[in-house]
Amino acid sequence: MSDDQAARPGTAPGPAVAGTTRTRTAAVIPAAGRGVRLGPGAPKALRALGGTPMLVHAVRAMARARDVTLVVVVAPPDDAAGVRHLLDAHPLPASAPVGAADVVVVPGGPTRQDSVRLGLAALPEDVGVVLVHDAARPLVPADTVDAVIAAVRAGAPAVVPALPVPDTVKQVEPRGGGEPEPVTGTPDRSRLRAVQTPQGFDRAVLAEAHERIACEGEGATDDAGLVERLGKPVVVVPGHEEAFKITRPLDLVLAEAVLRRRAKDGY
Ligand code: CTP
Ligand code: MG
């Protein structure tokens, strides 16, 4: 299906309601995935890292950013109450700009794209800048979050933290089942970037992208990709190696090592 066919006529968000201005920055944390690639167990975001649930690390990483005053957590649809309970049991430090009342929990959907759309629907009118941050990237440093917000506030409608790709990447005709796969191309590695989160957006632009681009199949794995399909500019800023995504069991080993180093360095 072409992008044109995929775009629904949906209404673009209008201007802020009279009397309110969109000055606040909020973070939406999609945390509704199962974590199939991590293996059997609790939903990925609820598994412990250094004794603390991954989701709690991710909420703290957002709350640590200077400008973030609201965090919307998108929970597994069958356990939103359990996630609320978990977050209440791990309150944010008093120094965080986000108070306990400003962490909202909403149930997610079957794909990441659905979950983010449901999180955006929970934002109050006065939010003008939105970060979307994977619960599965619990260790993103505060400086990376602040840099993304700063780039949006400086006028970029969509900002993505990213790193150069260490491996050479091949394009193939997928076969599956371990069968040899014919190579169809080798993109120039110097022009490739591996993207991370939090991705930052002008709220109206991201809302329009989620309203107009219908979720097909597994849906979009990246919010900036939806904005690109609207034809709006997206820019990349430097990401951070500690913003890696916890996907497979080996990633847990790396995350535990990062936490041990931070404990030693007094992070
Ligand atoms: N996510 C979500 N709703 C879904 C699917 C994914 O909110 N229906 C979230 C995950 O919780 C995660 C982020 O999107 O924080 C990135 O997804 P991914 O790393 O793929 O996590 P999972 O989908 O949980 O893992 P897997 O694909 O291995 O099952
Ligand atoms: Mg997934």
Side-chain angles (χ1 to χ4, degrees), residues 222-236:
D222 157 65
D223 297 280
L226 297 177
V227 172
E228 288 162 49
R229 287 169 65 178
L230 286 187
K232 305 244 162 138
V234 175
V235 295
V236 155

Side-chain angles (χ1 to χ4, degrees), residues 30-38 44-45 74 109-112 115 134-136 245-247:
R34 299 298 316 173
V36 171
R37 288 168 290 178
L38 203 52
K44 180 161 76 177
V74 188
T111 71
R112 185 185 183 283
S115 293
D134 293 329
K245 186 154 72 75
I246 294 179
T247 306

Side-chain angles (χ1 to χ4, degrees), residues 10-36:
T11 35
V17 172
T20 64
T21 44
R22 291 183 157 181
T23 52
R24 287 172 84 192
T25 298
V28 172
I29 302 184
R34 299 298 316 173
V36 171

